[in-house]
Amino acid sequence: HPKATASLAFDGGEFPLVEVNLKGGYGSFRGDLDTQKTGFKVDLNQFEGHRWRGLKKLTFNNMVQDPSFVHEYLTYFLYRRAGLPAPRVAYAKLYVNDVYFGFYGFIETVDEPFLDLWYGNSDGHLFESAYGPDFDAGEEWAFEYDNGPDEQAGVDAIAEVIATLALPWDETTYAQLRTQVDMDQWMANMAIEAAVWHWDGYWTENNNRMYHDPATDLFTIIPHGTDQTWVDGYPNAYDVSNQPRLYDFCMAVPTCRAMYGVRLLEVADAVDATPLESHLDVLIAITEAEFQADPRAEETGDHDSQLVSVDRGEEPPPD
């Protein structure tokens, strides 16, 4: 995506020189600054070494694939309530050259400050998984290397997991896999993906981050791209055509499958203990008028129906 230099000013911060990058992938990227609601990433640290409240980068999601304006906030909130690493979320009114672009999701960037907060270190390998890479033979180079000390070492660690999954899918291999991947954390992530109908995550081998934590020497997963959640009918965990490598392995090994069942119950308890309805009421109070006033909002006809879908809290069909 194209990059540019700019100045940035907002309540509590003023930065005369920052780097701005247009953001978004298939479906969400908007490149026409004259008419479209463009997403942005802002690097405060690129030229002058600034931070704002500990953050080096700012991510402004255009929410063009979330006409409810609440999906990301609720999903990441639930992840954090379950004790799993996930970005914090706020909202922002965004102006470019004094032109109001609209109401944006202000999403915490997964980078060094995020890793330091959740893992106590940012010295490991951070990969982006988008558009299909998984632990399949020959795909170790399909992951995008976002951060870390040595890309080749990170790719080699992925290749080791791939080699393990090429072994017989039994308890012995599962024991070896647990020395490479934090399977408990990974399956808890998958349980939440199932609970919120997160079709764009690891279930479809599409949108997530992987962090190889040097403190444990294990791969963990960090959710990403949760704007299309909470809508019944999206592909989900119970769709047999969308079973990624680690989940497929886990269902084949009794001990791992039992562990996943425990993670499901833990996530169910976290959902029950989380006041999602009251949070939804607060979010609607914040976002409703902003949605109506947003000059570049898209899919406006789906706004009410997606809010209703979130409020119903419908569950996926049984396994």
Side-chain angles (χ1 to χ4, degrees):
H1 297 333
K3 298 180 180 180
T5 56
S7 61
L8 174 70
F10 52 93
D11 290 344
E14 185 170 343
F15 303 91
L17 187 62
V18 300
E19 182 179 85
V20 179
N21 183 20
L22 304 189
K23 74 169 296 292
Y26 293 120
S28 66
F29 180 74
R30 301 292 185 270
D32 186 346
L33 294 171
D34 292 327
T35 63
Q36 294 182 312
K37 190 176 181 182
T38 309
F40 298 94
K41 284 188 177 181
V42 178
D43 190 338
L44 305 176
N45 195 61
Q46 180 66 25
F47 302 110
E48 299 185 356
H50 293 304
R51 290 199 184 200
W52 177 72
R53 298 188 179 183
L55 303 178
K56 295 168 60 177
K57 298 179 180 179
L58 311 178
T59 298
F60 298 98
N61 278 6
N62 54 15
M63 298 192 290
V64 296
Q65 292 185 297
D66 176 18
S68 77
F69 278 22
V70 302
H71 291 162
E72 290 173 298
Y73 187 105
L74 285 176
T75 299
Y76 290 135
F77 176 72
L78 182 57
Y79 268 98
R80 297 194 306 274
R81 282 294 292 259
L84 297 175
R88 293 169 289 186
V89 179
Y91 293 100
K93 295 181 180 181
L94 192 62
Y95 293 79
V96 180
N97 296 331
D98 296 324
V99 175
Y100 183 48
F101 268 47
F103 198 60
Y104 281 71
F106 183 15
I107 314 296
E108 184 177 14
T109 306
V110 176
D111 60 359
E112 295 96 324
F114 176 93
L115 298 173
D116 286 332
L117 176 65
W118 280 98
Y119 294 91
N121 70 77
S122 56
D123 302 322
H125 308 292
L126 178 65
F127 289 91
E128 178 177 352
S129 308
Y131 311 121
D134 197 3
F135 295 105
D136 292 305
E139 291 192 357
E140 57 266 29
W141 283 103
F143 298 85
E144 181 179 336
Y145 196 68
D146 277 0
N147 185 72
D150 185 324
E151 182 175 5
Q152 182 62 60
V155 170
D156 289 345
I158 293 176
E160 290 174 5
V161 177
I162 292 173
T164 297
L165 289 170
L167 299 172
W169 285 13
D170 56 23
E171 299 289 352
T172 300
T173 301
Y174 178 49
Q176 180 173 331
L177 186 63
R178 289 179 66 88
T179 68
Q180 300 167 322
V181 178
D182 187 339
M183 291 295 291
D184 294 78
Q185 188 264 3
W186 207 286
M187 290 301 114
N189 169 86
M190 307 211 62
I192 293 181
E193 288 196 13
V196 303
W197 293 86
H198 181 23
W199 83 270
D200 198 18
Y202 185 61
W203 290 117
T204 48
E205 301 176 325
N206 193 23
N207 224 343
N208 60 80
R209 301 288 188 269
M210 293 195 317
Y211 183 56
H212 189 262
D213 184 359
T216 62
D217 200 27
L218 299 175
F219 276 107
T220 64
I221 187 169
I222 301 168
H224 188 68
T226 62
D227 49 351
Q228 297 177 85
T229 48
W230 299 99
V231 178
D232 56 314
Y234 282 157
N236 62 83
Y238 303 98
D239 183 343
V240 295
S241 67
N242 294 312
Q243 292 185 353
R245 194 75 166 151
L246 288 178
Y247 176 79
D248 214 10
F249 173 91
C250 196
M251 294 303 99
V253 179
T255 302
C256 190
R257 185 181 179 91
M259 179 271 288
Y260 176 62
V262 173
R263 301 288 87 80
L264 281 173
L265 293 176
E266 291 173 349
V267 166
D269 289 341
V271 171
D272 289 341
T274 301
L276 291 173
E277 288 188 2
S278 61
H279 275 277
L280 179 59
D281 291 340
V282 171
L283 291 175
I284 291 175
I286 293 171
T287 63
E288 185 64 25
E290 301 299 342
F291 178 84
Q292 300 300 332
D294 192 313
R296 304 188 181 199
E298 298 184 15
E299 300 186 42
T300 54
D302 291 333
H303 176 67
D304 291 341
S305 65
Q306 291 218 4
L307 282 177
V308 168
S309 182
V310 175
D311 194 35
R312 280 201 308 264
E314 290 192 357
E315 297 180 355
D319 190 2

